[in-house]
Amino acid sequence: MATLPAAPLETIEQFGPHLSYPAGARLDTAEEPDRQVKTHCCFCGQQCGIQLKIKDNVVVGFEPWEDFPFNRGMLCPKGVRRYLQGAHPDRLLTAYERDAAAPGGFRPLNYQAAVERVASEINRIQSAHGADAFAVLSGASLTTEKTYLMGKFARMCLRTANIDYNGRLCMVSAGAANKKSFGIDRSANPWSDIPQAEVVLIAGSNVAECSPITTNYVWQARERGAKVIVVDPRITPIARTCDLFLPVKPGRDVALFNGILHLMIEQGWIDQEFIDRYTVGFERVAEHVRQWTPQRTAEVTGVTEKAIRQAAQWWGQAKTSFLLHARGIEHHSHGVQNVLSTINIVLATGRLGREGCGYGTITGQANGQGGREHGQKCDQLPGWRDIDNPEHRAYIAKIWQISPEELPGKGVDAYEIFRKIDRGEIRGLLSICFNPKVSLPDNNFIGRMLDKLDFYVAIDFFLNESARHANVVLPGSLQEEDEGVVTSAEGRVIKINKCVDPPGDAREDWRIIQDIAQALGRQRGFTFDSPRQIFDELRRASAGGVADYSGITYEKVERQMGVFWPCPSEDHPGTPRLFEPGSWNPVAQGNGPFYFADGKARFNVATYAPPAEDVDADYPLLLTTGRVVSHFLSGTQTRRIGPLVDQYPEPRVELHPQLAEQLGIADGDWTTVESRRGACTLRAQVVRTIRPDTVFVPYHWAGLKSINQVTIAAQDPISKIPEYKVCAVRVSRASSPPAYAGVFEPQQ
Ligand SMILES: Nc1nc2c(c(=O)[nH]1)N[C@H]1C(S)=C(S)[C@@H](COP(=O)(O)OP(=O)(O)OC[C@H]3O[C@@H](n4cnc5c(=O)[nH]c(N)nc54)[C@H](O)[C@@H]3O)O[C@H]1N2
Ligand SMILES: Nc1nc2c(c(=O)[nH]1)N[C@H]1C(S)=C(S)[C@@H](COP(=O)(O)OP(=O)(O)OC[C@H]3O[C@@H](n4cnc5c(=O)[nH]c(N)nc54)[C@H](O)[C@@H]3O)O[C@H]1N2
Ligand code: SF4
Ligand SMILES: [Mo]
């Protein structure tokens, strides 16, 4: 049986990097496997094809899967090492119950007893405080089947309105803006359109570190002569090879894109025929951007007028183009406005729905796309249906064999769930595939709220930092221990194949959820025997919705190496490129290809506002946060994979030499970054690749190394995404090393 590390343990890397290699596990990739399974990487939304090598029910290595069209065998450092995670000694092999007297603060518990305790606590809380007093937080690394089941479980079994998911921290600004502009929330093109583009514009995406395989598509375009434009406060690796770099001041993208559109209109670099025929709302946008003269745009964004004019000219005059963005423009209190402003420059040129003419938001989590379509969002039902729409409610109620009145209404977003805990309105929480203690902003508050709960159950395969606050922990499944579909950044539905069985008392996540339903005595609707059965119900539930999966089968996914949704019937091949004239569209009754009744896309006025917290005399610098190539999200997985730890052992504060000199900080010095919410002391990394008014810290670490102690919980009013990408801080050389110094010091 697994033993838990002794308490108190704030972060797993206190073990030291060498111990994060799975001790004694079989890790020799050269070893002859029993079999190889074609599946996909468990980490980012690129969902690279990979073959895992299995010996004696253990994943022991990998081989490239060269036929899979997206990555053709290529993998990034995380994909190459992902096979190491399952054998880690921290893998949860049994259920646990919190017990202050036990070593590590938890004692093992029989699985069935744990499930029964969960059910009885749910009953107790809901009968005393109402159904909505129990909340669910779910995740977009789960297969689409599981995300569907989580939405159904919350609404039909628990009858709570309060379910939301970690994509709330990720893709919701893009999703909301895509819906507003196009009526559909999916990248518009397969990535094979990128190399065909004359101009590739990348806004707020560290492509080479966060969606590494996309780099290859961008470079193919460059090789064919394309101009690459990058908008980022940091010269990221992709920016080092671009043709034009716009070093935007964090939080100012909407001004930049409005300024670019201003010039495009002034110079006539727009497609008036497309605008007239296929869009509405252009005049209001044109009127609005009139104020965004190059001079004003330069003043607000910190980008030179010359560079703004050059970007407008290249983008405006191109015949083909592809615009990509990610969290750099989305993680803002005006993230939706930022995204709308980028979509406006795409719509104004009419370069959509044709070869080499594309737009895409690069999804983040493994199932960042599929995980936001089928009902685990607080306002959504399967098929991207709207929980407020009576017809949509009636349709799903029929599939679930309940009456529409039994379906709860709209719940609150993931952060608001914690505010409701603070107010005593939510008393119980089930989380799966989510580590809010590390990943939510202002996370000292989150830790206090987890402790305030009457009852908290976490389902995970590692005891993540949030689960350490749980009353009961249930051992869930790793990606390679289950099967199901996920949808990649391109909109391609692909199949995750089971490689090994969950070890010990661990269970496939969907079985655990059904076991809880059974223990509650509400198993009706939760008696699926397999992910395939869940998928078949999901297909029916999605039929006729915008995210229509009804024509997708496991066999077709395998045969075609993925099926792009929407796919309304089994003889339909799927829809790689959206908005092609004449393509299937369940919503449009007019001639246009967009997903509104009149078939026309919407221009939306995108208004600029400064970040929720701007700099002032006390906090004179901007903090922005994000990722490094070798770690993934809250680090639960990658901080347990030795070679990835060695590649980037601890977070560092990136700052420009000018700023470093001004502050008297040398490379490697302990440096404190402090905001109104909290402080974090880390080593400095002095780099010339960042704006001198901005510091950057990656967020993959917990406890004292967590930069989310410092970030702000401001949210976009429409999407409710947190403003991870900008808050005001002061930075100084630390007067003393942090408490963790010396406990684990990586070799420099
Ligand atoms: N290695 C690695 N890869 C990952 C992940 C990971 O954790 N590690 N996570 C996956 C997930 S879930 C996601 S969401 C994606 C995220 O992928 P990205 O969005 O590419 O990554 P981030 O580092 O969050 O931020 C991207 C860039 O935004 C820039 N930026 C900061 N503020 C601004 C701003 O105001 N404007 C502009 N234009 N840019 C700004 C940052 O400097 C950074 O280079 O990556 C996925 N892939
Ligand atoms: N400061 C700052 N904070 C950020 C961001 C930022 O850029 N800056 N980015 C935000 C973004 S874009 C994201 S997506 C979030 C991510 O934030 P989280 O979702 O909290 O981070 P994860 O590390 O994905 O946590 C997921 C947990 O799920 C578990 N898990 C993974 N797969 C499975 C599975 O199949 N089954 C089960 N049962 N468990 C599983 C992992 O072990 C891990 O403990 O962080 C956000 N936080
Ligand atoms: S790019 Fe993403 S999916 Fe591909 S190997 Fe790297 S982490 Fe895995
Ligand atoms: Mo994300």
Side-chain angles (χ1 to χ4, degrees), residues 469-625:
H469 296 254
N471 302 92
V472 170
V473 181
L474 295 170
S477 48
L478 283 160
Q479 182 239 31
E480 55 264 42
E481 293 165 1
D482 202 358
E483 68 168 349
V485 297
V486 297
T487 305
S488 75
E490 295 182 293
R492 191 197 293 258
V493 179
I494 50 172
K495 178 81 196 308
I496 305 302
N497 286 314
K498 184 166 178 163
C499 300
V500 292
D501 293 321
D505 237 355
R507 302 275 198 289
E508 291 90 344
D509 298 314
W510 58 271
R511 286 191 202 276
I512 299 177
I513 295 301
Q514 297 202 142
D515 288 344
I516 297 172
Q518 191 169 19
L520 282 164
R522 297 184 212 144
Q523 61 268 52
R524 195 170 68 84
F526 300 92
T527 52
F528 298 105
D529 285 334
S530 62
R532 181 186 286 268
Q533 278 191 358
I534 305 175
F535 188 63
D536 283 342
E537 184 178 294
L538 181 161
R539 289 173 58 199
R540 287 193 291 121
S542 75
V546 170
D548 192 327
Y549 278 48
S550 58
I552 304 178
T553 62
Y554 283 3
E555 288 70 25
K556 188 158 145 186
V557 169
E558 301 274 8
R559 208 170 47 240
Q560 294 186 196
M561 300 241 190
V563 180
F564 289 79
W565 71 264
C567 180
S569 61
E570 286 196 26
D571 56 6
H572 188 284
T575 315
R577 187 183 294 121
L578 297 178
F579 316 138
E580 280 182 306
S583 62
W584 179 83
N585 183 325
V587 189
Q589 280 132 32
N591 286 326
F594 297 97
Y595 284 67
F596 292 105
D598 59 8
K600 294 182 178 187
R602 267 62 181 157
F603 276 95
N604 289 279
V605 170
T607 40
Y608 167 74
E613 182 184 67
D614 216 342
V615 294
D616 57 23
D618 291 334
Y619 297 91
L621 293 166
L622 295 170
L623 166 70
T624 192
T625 62

Side-chain angles (χ1 to χ4, degrees), residues 166 433 435 439 460 464 509 625 627 633-634 699 708 725:
N166 60 8
C433 193
N435 191 6
S439 54
D460 210 296
N464 71 29
D509 298 314
T625 62
R627 303 159 157 77
L633 304 181
S634 70
Y699 87 102
N708 274 331
K725 289 295 184 269

Side-chain angles (χ1 to χ4, degrees), residues 169-170 327 364-365 627 633:
L169 329 181
C170 184
R327 306 311 83 78
Q365 299 136 302
R627 303 159 157 77
L633 304 181

Side-chain angles (χ1 to χ4, degrees), residues 37-58:
V37 178
K38 290 191 170 98
T39 184
H40 295 270
C41 175
C42 59
F43 292 127
C44 86
Q46 310 276 293
Q47 286 300 290
C48 295
I50 189 171
Q51 304 191 68
L52 292 181
K53 289 166 134 186
I54 324 297
K55 192 163 178 76
D56 303 337
N57 202 39
V58 178

Side-chain angles (χ1 to χ4, degrees), residues 44 78 170 203-206 209-210 231-234 236 248 250-251 253 326-329 332 364-365 624 626-629 631-633 700 725:
C44 86
K78 292 181 300 304
C170 184
S205 175
N206 181 358
E209 293 199 75
C210 299
V231 184
D232 200 298
R234 300 186 305 140
T236 58
V248 69
D253 294 83
R327 306 311 83 78
I329 70 164
H332 292 278
Q365 299 136 302
T624 192
R627 303 159 157 77
V628 295
V629 68
H631 284 286
F632 194 66
L633 304 181
H700 314 287
K725 289 295 184 269

Side-chain angles (χ1 to χ4, degrees), residues 37-111:
V37 178
K38 290 191 170 98
T39 184
H40 295 270
C41 175
C42 59
F43 292 127
C44 86
Q46 310 276 293
Q47 286 300 290
C48 295
I50 189 171
Q51 304 191 68
L52 292 181
K53 289 166 134 186
I54 324 297
K55 192 163 178 76
D56 303 337
N57 202 39
V58 178
V59 177
V60 293
F62 75 98
E63 282 291 328
W65 174 11
E66 281 166 6
D67 292 340
F68 188 70
F70 178 76
N71 61 311
R72 300 251 167 237
M74 289 179 287
L75 295 164
C76 83
K78 292 181 300 304
V80 167
R81 303 297 186 182
R82 56 91 71 221
Y83 74 94
L84 291 168
Q85 64 173 340
H88 195 278
D90 286 356
R91 174 74 169 90
L92 294 176
L93 301 174
T94 179
Y96 283 93
E97 185 171 47
R98 188 128 61 92
D99 176 356
F106 286 87
R107 66 181 176 83
L109 186 66
N110 166 280
Y111 173 82

